[in-house]
């Protein structure tokens, strides 16, 4: 074993570990692998960057745009509605129709896009037939994966093995070379799911919507029963004539007010500006346990003498002003979504907009050009604002101006934590004091060791003096909330709160979302979309409390409540898919004929062999934009950039495996180990290894790494490389066994209420079926020996 082989194998092992564990983003792993093989001299700089111009990579991103064009012009949607008419009421028939339709579309479209497009249609089928969506959504995901096996552009592995053959000096696969084996595998998989696999699907109903003449129980589906209750506004309450936002029911207690009964009239989905009146009965979704927090806050002792504005700070902490520039990237964003505190290590104490100064609830205010931010932080951090892009005209503010202009001295309170307080030992974040007052804790005066700009995880101790920016009236409102009584005599009826204008639906993150890792608080979700998130379904479990601080994940299902108008607006957002066909983004139906003609115009020359597929795909993508099938911004959004960078970054590692002889060494090991048992056993071993690896490694990355090994193995044994490369492509694309095997599997996880074992049971059996078909059918069309 040469030093070069040892080096490239070490890089390979480290890369695979990072791809499996995802300790860092997969595309970052790929780019670091690119850098490693270049800096170690295993490939030249030109070879290292060749992945970005590789025909396979170009074909993949162009196909994403073509798929987007078909989606935006309603071609796929028309097929989906045709499916709905054919589905009938028989479960087996529904599964066959759904899987065939998804498979046909996946032959020329990205399979994740097909699954996302068909998802609302399948949900509607489930509602109209009364079938649990969990019986139909895994078949949808698997149908889209099986359909990708049938053509050269159906799935990235097919494109990659074709290009690998070309790079190896062999004739690459043509457009329909995958069709005989792919169709056999697809229809075998559909038959299995329709007659056997469906028996292993769970019966969970977490995504059914209230429709006419249907009775459902949302409370049990999302376990909302214990989270729904009624409270009444007393006739002497300070909350009378306050808006819902001013009442702090949401920020202080994390409650969603989803309805108000006033004078026997129901007001559904009230907005933050709804004014409370004496005797109002509020239907609330939240945790009754949170009411106990009020007793903790009541124990705090408010010092009536106040505090000097400079006392919470030392000479290290200064205050200054900066202005939001007209071209700032922060315009329209809130301090929460920016992550201002953590990003700039400074607190925003006030926002001055024209003649109005805001000092509370700053975290949820969308910034506008010209906003003046009063910030506090260490001197050196504030100096940096002179050079931070997006802000301008920074200056330090003298103490007199803090009083005369900002009147901060009127907003400072000091609260002492008594020795017997239940808050002792809790962090500031756990106390929720800052968000309850709509402000922040500026400092903790603790003996001779004051804590300036305390972090959220700072633990409270007995006799701590908390310097809080807020109003005494806000604190009095918190005390007033304790007087609210939960009515045990009446149980809320959520169905009574749903009318023609107000609905309850589910939504999931779209495949092209940019919101993964973002919290509802950072999104300012309630204010931005006018909808309440009642629960989040994640990996087979419903979460109903502390939702504002949960980072969204791909595959989450959000149970939303609000007006139909607001739900319709959410349906047009590219970051979300609303799971009903009646609330969807408006299509460009007038462009449908252009998108169909463009697909025909690029496929015919490819099939005949006149034009390489990557050139045709690029031309087709450009024509989709030129004829208005989708805009340029939409085209960029359709591209799955993670896949592009992942493949382009790992291709040089595959080149290094080949050029150093590492792939040959591995191939010789395979031949020595299983070669004596014959070519069938060799193919079985490689296919089984690929199936297993798809559970942990992205399919595209797997093919890039397996291709040189498979080519060398077939060469060493004198076998046909076409049969082995076809087998690897089929096995890599058949990613059924875990939800993380493929994005299409994750997409349906939330709406279907699936758990990990559901995929393992059904997908494991389907994988075995595909393995048998590959072993017996593939050699008929692609003999193992030349």
């Amino acid at each position: 074993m040469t030093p070069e082989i040892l080096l490239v194998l070490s890089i390979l092992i480290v890369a695979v570990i990072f791809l499996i564990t995802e300790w860092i983003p997969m595309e970052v792993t790929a780019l670091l692998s690119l850098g490693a093989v270049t800096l170690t001299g295993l490939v030249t700089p030109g070879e290292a960057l060749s992945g970005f111009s590789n025909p396979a990579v170009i074909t993949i991103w162009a196909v994403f745009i073509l798929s987007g064009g078909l989606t935006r012009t309603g071609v796929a949607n028309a097929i989906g509605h045709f499916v709905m008419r054919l589905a009938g009421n028989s479960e087996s028939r529904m599964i066959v129709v759904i899987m065939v339709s998804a498979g046909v579309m996946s032959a020329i479209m990205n399979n994740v896009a097909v699954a996302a497009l068909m998802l609302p249609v399948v949900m509607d089928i489930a509602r109209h037939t009364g079938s649990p969506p969990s019986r139909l959504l895994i078949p949808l995901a698997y149908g889209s994966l099986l359909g990708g096996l049938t053509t050269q552009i159906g799935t990235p592995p097919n494109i990659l093995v074709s290009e690998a053959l070309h790079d190896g000096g062999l004739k690459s696969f043509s457009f329909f070379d995958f069709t005989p084996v792919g169709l056999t595998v697809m229809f075998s998989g559909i038959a299995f799911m329709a007659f056997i696999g469906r028996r292993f699907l769970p019966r969970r109903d977490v995504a059914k919507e209230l429709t006419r003449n249907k009775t459902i129980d949302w409370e049990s589906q999302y376990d909302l029963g214990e989270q729904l209750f009624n409270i009444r506004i007393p006739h002497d309450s300070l909350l009378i004539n306050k808006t819902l936002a001013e009442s702090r029911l949401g920020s202080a207690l994390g409650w969603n007010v989803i309805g108000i009964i006033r004078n026997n009239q129901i007001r559904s989905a009230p907005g933050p500006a709804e004014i409370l009146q004496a005797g109002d009965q509020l239907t609330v979704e939240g945790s009754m346990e949170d009411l106990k927090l009020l007793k903790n806050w009541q124990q705090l002792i408010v010092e009536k003498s106040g505090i000097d504005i400079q006392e919470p700070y030392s000479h290290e902490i200064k205050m200054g002003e900066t202005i939001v520039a007209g071209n700032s990237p922060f315009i329209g964003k809130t301090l929460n979504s920016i992550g201002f505190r953590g990003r700039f290590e400074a607190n925003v104490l006030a926002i001055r907009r024209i003649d109005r100064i805001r000092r509370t609830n700053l975290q949820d205010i969308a910034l506008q050009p010209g906003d003046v931010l009063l910030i506090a932080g260490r001197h050196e951090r504030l100096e940096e604002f002179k050079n931070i892009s997006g802000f301008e005209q920074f200056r330090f503010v003298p103490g007199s101006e803090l009083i005369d202009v900002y009147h901060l001295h009127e907003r400072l309170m000091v609260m002492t934590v008594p020795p017997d307080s239940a808050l002792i030992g809790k962090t500031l974040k756990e106390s929720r004091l800052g968000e309850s007052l709509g402000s922040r804790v500026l400092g903790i005066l603790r003996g001779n060791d004051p804590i300036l700009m305390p972090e959220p995880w700072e633990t409270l101790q007995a006799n701590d003096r908390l310097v809080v920016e807020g109003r005494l009236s806000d604190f009095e409102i918190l005390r007033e909330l304790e007087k609210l009584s939960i009515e045990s005599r009446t149980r809320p009826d959520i169905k009574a709160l749903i009318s023609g204008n107000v609905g309850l639906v589910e939504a999931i993150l779209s495949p092209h979302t940019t919101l993964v890792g973002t919290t509802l608080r950072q999104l300012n979700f309630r204010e931005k979309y006018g909808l309440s998130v009642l629960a989040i379904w994640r990996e087979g479990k419903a979460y109903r409390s502390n939702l504002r601080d949960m980072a969204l994940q791909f595959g989450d299902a959000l149970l939303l409540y609000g007006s139909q108008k607001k739900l319709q607006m959410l349906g047009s957002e590219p970051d979300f898919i609303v799971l009903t066909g009646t609330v969807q983004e408006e299509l460009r139906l007038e462009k449908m004929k252009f998108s169909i003609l463009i697909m025909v115009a690029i496929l015919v020359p490819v099939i005949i062999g006149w034009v390489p597929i990557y050139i045709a795909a690029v031309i087709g993508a450009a024509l989709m934009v030129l004829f208005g099938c989708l805009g340029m911004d939409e085209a960029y959004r359709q591209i799955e950039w993670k896949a592009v960078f992942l493949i382009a970054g790992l291709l040089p590692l595959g080149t290094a495996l080949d050029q150093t002889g590492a792939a040959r060494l591995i191939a010789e090991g395979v031949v020595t180990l299983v070669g004596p048992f014959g070519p069938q056993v060799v193919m079985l071993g490689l296919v089984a290894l690929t199936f297993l690896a798809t559970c942990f490694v992205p399919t595209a990355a797997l093919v890039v790494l397996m291709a040189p090994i498979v080519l060398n193995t077939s060469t060493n044994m004198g076998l046909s490389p076409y049969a082995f490369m076809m087998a690897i492509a089929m096995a890599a694309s058949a990613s059924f066994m875990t939800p993380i095997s493929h994005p299409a599997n994750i997409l349906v996880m939330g709406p279907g209420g699936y758990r990990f074992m559901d995929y393992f049971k059904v997908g494991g059996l389907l994988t075995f079926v595909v393995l048998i078909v590959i072993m017996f059918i593939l050699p008929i069309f692609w003999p193992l020996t030349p």
Side-chain angles (χ1 to χ4, degrees), residues 171-239:
K171 181 183 177 182
S172 62
F173 289 124
S174 64
F175 190 85
F176 286 120
D177 279 347
F178 295 88
T179 305
V181 180
L183 279 179
T184 306
V185 171
M186 186 179 97
F187 285 116
S188 298
I190 293 172
F192 166 79
M193 288 301 300
F195 297 107
I196 300 175
R198 68 184 180 90
R199 303 182 188 279
F200 296 91
L201 291 169
R203 287 188 176 275
R204 298 192 193 102
D205 199 351
V206 298
K208 190 184 284 185
E209 204 178 289
L210 186 64
T211 55
R212 186 175 300 174
N213 299 324
K214 300 287 183 183
T215 59
I216 62 168
D217 189 359
W218 277 105
E219 293 95 324
S220 64
Q221 290 172 10
Y222 271 88
D223 298 329
L224 290 179
E226 297 180 1
Q227 303 294 122
L228 287 174
F229 51 92
N230 291 328
I231 60 175
R232 191 172 294 276
I233 305 297
H235 287 272
D236 60 347
S237 175
L238 292 179
L239 300 179

Side-chain angles (χ1 to χ4, degrees), residues 317-459:
I317 303 297
K318 302 296 181 183
M319 299 190 193
E321 279 185 347
T322 188
I323 300 176
V324 179
N327 60 347
S328 174
F330 306 122
I331 292 173
K333 297 182 179 179
T334 65
L335 297 177
N336 252 326
S337 62
I338 296 171
F340 193 96
R341 166 68 186 269
R343 187 171 185 172
F344 302 115
E345 297 184 26
N347 272 330
V348 178
L349 304 183
I351 297 177
R352 180 153 53 94
R353 180 174 295 168
I354 309 177
D355 294 328
R356 185 183 180 190
I357 297 177
R358 296 283 297 271
R359 291 171 288 259
T360 56
N361 300 318
L362 303 182
Q363 299 296 318
D364 298 327
I365 297 176
L367 298 180
Q368 295 182 9
D371 281 351
V372 180
L373 309 185
L374 178 66
I375 54 180
R378 297 188 181 277
H379 185 278
E380 61 273 16
R381 293 301 182 194
L382 296 191
E383 283 281 358
E384 294 176 2
F385 274 87
K386 295 178 180 179
N387 301 312
I388 294 176
S389 176
F391 298 108
E392 58 188 9
Q393 300 181 36
F394 172 81
R395 70 182 183 92
F396 288 100
V397 178
S400 59
E401 195 170 326
L402 298 175
I403 296 174
D404 297 337
V405 177
Y406 287 98
H407 304 284
L408 286 187
H409 63 293
E410 301 173 2
R411 299 284 181 139
L412 286 184
M413 296 187 297
V414 180
M415 300 179 177
T416 302
V417 181
D420 59 346
S421 174
L423 292 174
I424 295 173
K426 292 184 179 294
T427 65
L428 283 175
K429 182 177 179 65
E430 290 170 340
S431 76
R432 293 173 59 181
L433 183 60
E435 59 190 86
S436 301
L437 291 171
S439 187
R440 68 204 60 77
V441 177
L442 301 180
I444 300 177
L445 304 180
R446 182 178 294 164
N448 296 322
D449 187 23
I451 301 172
L452 310 173
M453 295 176 59
E455 299 291 345
W457 50 85
E458 183 66 42
T459 302

Side-chain angles (χ1 to χ4, degrees), residues 622-639:
L623 291 175
M624 285 287 188
V625 176
L626 180 64
F627 282 91
C629 299
L630 72 172
M632 200 64 230
D633 288 341
E634 292 173 315
Y636 284 127
R637 198 177 180 98
Q638 292 296 325
I639 299 173

Side-chain angles (χ1 to χ4, degrees), residues 14 140 155 260 270 280 301 336 340 391 457 502 544 755 784:
V14 172
L140 167 64
T155 183
I260 298 177
D280 279 353
I301 301 171
N336 252 326
F340 193 96
F391 298 108
W457 50 85
V502 177
R544 301 168 300 279
R755 299 184 174 94
L784 300 185

Side-chain angles (χ1 to χ4, degrees), residues 675-709:
F677 299 100
Q680 285 277 5
V681 176
V682 174
M683 188 169 77
L684 175 62
L686 291 173
V687 170
L689 176 63
T690 305
F691 273 134
L692 182 63
T694 59
C695 297
F696 312 103
V697 181
T699 56
L702 181 61
V703 171
V704 169
L705 300 177
M706 287 288 292
I709 297 172

Side-chain angles (χ1 to χ4, degrees), residues 206-329:
V206 298
K208 190 184 284 185
E209 204 178 289
L210 186 64
T211 55
R212 186 175 300 174
N213 299 324
K214 300 287 183 183
T215 59
I216 62 168
D217 189 359
W218 277 105
E219 293 95 324
S220 64
Q221 290 172 10
Y222 271 88
D223 298 329
L224 290 179
E226 297 180 1
Q227 303 294 122
L228 287 174
F229 51 92
N230 291 328
I231 60 175
R232 191 172 294 276
I233 305 297
H235 287 272
D236 60 347
S237 175
L238 292 179
L239 300 179
I240 295 171
N241 294 326
K242 300 285 186 185
T243 66
L244 277 177
E246 292 170 339
S247 75
R248 316 209 67 77
L249 284 166
S251 57
L253 298 174
W255 289 354
N256 281 317
V257 178
I258 61 177
I260 298 177
I261 300 177
R262 179 181 299 159
N263 299 325
N264 296 321
Q265 297 293 318
I266 297 176
R267 295 171 179 262
S268 300
E274 183 73 32
I275 297 176
L276 298 175
Q277 296 183 15
D280 279 353
Q281 179 180 287
L282 312 183
T283 299
V284 176
E285 188 269 339
S287 173
M288 288 183 278
E289 293 295 317
D290 288 334
L291 203 56
K292 296 178 181 178
L293 289 174
L294 296 176
K295 296 181 180 179
N296 296 337
W297 297 325
Q298 191 178 30
Q299 293 172 348
L300 295 173
I301 301 171
V302 180
E303 299 182 12
K304 296 182 179 180
S305 58
I307 191 171
D308 186 275
I309 185 67
Q310 296 290 348
E311 186 174 340
Y313 302 110
S314 68
H315 65 280
E316 298 176 348
I317 303 297
K318 302 296 181 183
M319 299 190 193
E321 279 185 347
T322 188
I323 300 176
V324 179
N327 60 347
S328 174

